[in-house]
Amino acid sequence: MRPMNTLDISRTRNIGIIAHIDAGKTTTTERILFYCGRIHRVGEVHDGNAQMDWMAQERERGITIVAAATTASWNDHRINIIDTPGHVDFTAEVERSLRVLDGGVVVFDAVNGVEPQSETVWRQADRYSVPRIAFINKMDRRGADFDATIGSIRDRLGANPVPIQVPIGFEADFEGVVDLVTMQAIRWPADGLVAPERGPIPADLEASALDERERMIEALAEFDDDIATKYLDGEDLSTAELIDALRRMTVAAQGVPVLMGSALRNKGIEPLLNAITDYLPSPLDVPPVTGINPKTGAEEQRRPAEDDPFTAIAFKIVADPHAGKLAYFRVYSGSIEPGATVLNTAAGKRERLSRVLRMHADKREEVTESIRHGDILAAVGVRATNTGDTLTDPKYPLQLESITFPEPVVTIAIEPKSRGDQDKIIDALRRLGEEDPTFRISGNEETGQTLIAGMGELHLEVIVDRLLREYRVGANVGRPQVSYRERPRTEATGRGRFVRQTGGRGQYGDVTVELEPLPLGTGVQIERRIVGGAIPVQFIPAAERGAARRLTSGPQGMEVTDVRITLVDGSYHDVDSSELAFEIAGAMAVEDALNRARTDVMEPVMGVQVVVPEDYVGDTLAGLAAKRGTIHGADMRGGSHIIAAEVPLATMFGYANELRSATQGRGTFSMEFSHYAVTQRAGAADGLLTPVS
């Protein structure tokens, strides 16, 4: 096999392993690395020794928390792999990974089918137009149902699943698959990491395999005219023709090839690797990226080609205790040598890529060859680069679309235990904030407390654990609190006039704004409609900054959202006006408008899915109703009832223990942020920030 740095780009695959929590992503990734020869001993999630779950917090909890990158080789192809988390609290890791990947392997549990986070990651992949193949895992478990899982992919995800295998045996008797492309039976021995046995299809499966192959070809014929013509003419289709058609269908995102296996039992991994190299796109198959030239404001494209200018995006920042700040980046065009200088177009600063690394989870290999389009690597020593920044050739700057992340919904107060911990805790929080774009740090002016916000209880629990363990900071931590928002009730106009005379040169700023509530989930928009030079052009940005700053704390002390602020009028003084005066006036104008409009308190509402045995359905429904939950439906799957509901986050703290107690440990649930809604609970925002040491 050739060294990886000599492989042509067409043999590179940049893929992510994505799924709902406990579907088997990390177990699948471990087997992929073993069969590729990247590791020589398979680690297990339940034993806490999986290679890709390298953080202490991941190994203790048995879940993936951060996306881990690695590289492996299969059939003379380089496969850059990112193993992503499945827990909803860490969905930002999936978001930024999908932003830079060319293809994805979506893992489904054969018993549970499409689960809530399966839908979330599927929507994220849709947003970035990522071609996918599906791997239905845990086919050896009791209640595994391949057909039902295919149906849920079609019905709940609106996808076009195209099975390219049928199972040999079910549940405990699952021993292999029939490959519908080659029409061979593939069987795995009962135990051991050994190669599968290929042979003729069992007689009792031959008829059903032919029927399924016919359905696969019909699905391809709907997309591919050449296949359709040969199919209608009754001609035989070769294996190469079917592989080529499946690849074109997958790259065009018109269908999803579906495979199956049991990663824990080492079944189905080699066909999955073949599907990754056969069907998922290379960097050359990906459309050119589009960005804005910061010098001209014109839209420009960068092709995945050697002769286009170097363009990359930083998608992940890690504060490595040994190497310092690491910036993971994906190269979209051009090439560059390690040690070269690039331009960070977001920060407007130059960065030197002093050392470039190829990562294997927390291990690293120094890169000495050229950095080329299609590479996913990490740079050491970058200072100004943050998640979503574009790195380009300084002569040819381009700003690519950045990465957007959901807002945090849970807040806790944190304070140092001693004066000596004060500086350490601020530095540690700053570093963690650089790593995690969904982690927010703020201060409460009334209490003087430092507040940290995240996507859920587990997210903040991990942050605090890292503070105490990695950064060795002594801290008192408050109980989790909900991050409420405010939203204006009506339109309003506000004026802010800041005038100060101190004997010498004074301060003068005068701003009028119009405030308009926006639909739920819209966010904040700040616009300008100044006519006639009422406010000089040089002072308008300062007034906008002041307006935005005032929205961080509304009349009831919470961040204001779903609002449009428009600067419409004002006045100035030839001598006394300044940026500071207009910034203060802008804030005063927004405060005046908010007081006139009055605000509603908004609370985060979570989409909740609860899985319980039939005996406990009544108690579970009553418990959700008591939490102000809205039940949207119940379904049966694998002998259990699946209840879908929307419940205010404020009532869900501690629900895991409640459900465990009510169902004798047999109930499980998952939840993800759905939307903000006006709270119906009086005094909901009272006492939000009371710390508990």
Side-chain angles (χ1 to χ4, degrees), residues 365-409:
E365 302 166 0
E366 187 142 358
V367 174
T368 56
E369 70 270 13
S370 295
I371 303 163
R372 305 168 65 196
H373 54 288
D375 281 342
I376 295 180
L377 302 167
V380 179
V382 291
R383 295 171 182 259
T385 299
N386 291 308
T387 300
D389 290 355
T390 306
L391 306 174
T392 67
D393 184 327
K395 295 179 183 177
Y396 305 96
L398 190 73
Q399 178 66 52
L400 300 179
E401 181 184 357
S402 190
I403 309 172
T404 57
F405 299 100
E407 289 295 313
V409 294

Side-chain angles (χ1 to χ4, degrees), residues 438-642:
T438 59
F439 171 57
R440 300 280 195 276
I441 309 163
S442 62
N444 185 305
E445 296 180 2
E446 295 180 4
T447 65
Q449 293 172 314
T450 298
L451 308 176
I452 58 176
M455 298 304 296
E457 288 182 271
L458 180 60
H459 185 197
L460 291 177
E461 180 186 316
V462 170
I463 291 287
V464 170
D465 189 52
R466 292 187 63 191
L467 270 178
L468 302 178
R469 189 180 305 194
E470 291 179 31
Y471 295 94
R472 298 178 181 176
V473 174
N476 296 323
V477 181
R479 64 178 182 269
Q481 305 289 352
V482 175
S483 291
Y484 290 88
R485 298 283 189 270
E486 293 180 52
R487 178 175 179 268
R489 296 179 182 174
T490 62
E491 296 181 2
T493 300
R495 182 184 182 189
R497 191 167 179 269
F498 181 71
V499 182
R500 292 288 185 275
Q501 292 295 335
T502 56
R505 178 178 174 178
Q507 295 284 351
Y508 184 94
D510 180 18
V511 176
T512 300
V513 301
E514 290 180 355
L515 176 152
E516 176 188 355
L518 295 176
L520 295 177
T522 306
V524 172
Q525 299 175 8
I526 297 181
E527 301 177 355
R528 60 181 73 168
R529 197 169 68 241
I530 305 292
V531 294
I535 300 176
V537 173
Q538 67 267 29
F539 296 139
I540 293 177
E544 291 175 333
R545 284 198 304 273
R549 179 165 54 82
R550 193 64 191 87
L551 291 174
T552 60
S553 180
Q556 302 187 61
M558 288 155 278
E559 184 177 335
V560 181
T561 189
D562 299 335
V563 61
R564 178 186 291 121
I565 300 292
T566 306
L567 278 64
V568 295
D569 202 1
S571 62
Y572 68 99
H573 190 279
D574 289 333
V575 176
D576 291 348
S577 286
S578 66
E579 286 193 11
L580 175 62
F582 271 96
E583 187 169 338
I584 295 172
M588 293 171 64
V590 170
E591 181 177 10
D592 183 40
L594 287 171
N595 288 331
R596 294 172 185 272
R598 305 183 67 188
T599 58
D600 290 318
V601 175
M602 311 285 290
E603 66 177 344
V605 177
M606 311 300 286
V608 179
Q609 186 178 78
V610 188
V611 182
V612 294
E614 185 172 3
D615 294 347
Y616 305 102
V617 171
D619 290 342
T620 302
L621 291 172
L624 291 172
K627 293 180 176 295
R628 298 188 285 133
T630 302
I631 309 299
H632 289 299
D635 195 8
M636 280 284 292
R637 191 187 306 153
S640 296
H641 284 257
I642 295 92

Side-chain angles (χ1 to χ4, degrees), residues 216-218 220-222 224-232 237 241-242 245 248:
M216 178 188 75
I217 294 173
E218 287 175 359
L220 290 172
E222 291 181 11
D224 192 295
D225 290 341
D226 292 339
I227 297 292
T229 301
K230 288 194 172 187
Y231 174 65
L232 292 172
L237 292 161
E241 287 176 312
L242 290 174
R248 281 184 275 118

Side-chain angles (χ1 to χ4, degrees), residues 82-164:
I82 298 182
D83 177 32
T84 64
H87 196 286
V88 65
D89 282 15
F90 309 106
T91 188
E93 292 285 332
V94 184
E95 185 80 25
R96 60 182 170 189
S97 299
L98 287 171
R99 171 66 173 82
V100 300
L101 292 171
D102 302 328
V105 177
V106 189
V107 182
F108 296 94
D109 185 323
V111 178
N112 297 316
V114 174
E115 299 175 89
Q117 193 66 3
S118 307
E119 296 186 58
T120 300
V121 298
W122 196 272
R123 289 196 302 270
Q124 289 172 308
D126 282 342
R127 184 157 56 249
Y128 295 113
S129 302
V130 176
R132 279 144 277 177
I133 59 178
F135 180 66
I136 298 179
N137 192 25
K138 304 186 181 183
M139 284 293 294
D140 59 329
R141 283 185 58 194
R142 183 178 179 183
D145 192 328
F146 180 75
D147 292 334
T149 304
I150 292 291
S152 65
I153 293 173
R154 182 178 294 109
D155 298 338
R156 298 185 62 179
L157 302 179
N160 177 28
V162 180
I164 60 174

Side-chain angles (χ1 to χ4, degrees), residues 640-671:
S640 296
H641 284 257
I642 295 92
I643 301 167
E646 288 184 347
V647 189
L649 175 61
T651 67
M652 288 299 292
F653 292 118
Y655 183 61
N657 290 333
E658 294 177 28
L659 183 64
R660 194 177 299 119
S661 175
T663 62
Q664 298 182 9
R666 298 172 65 190
T668 61
F669 84 101
S670 59
M671 68 178 182

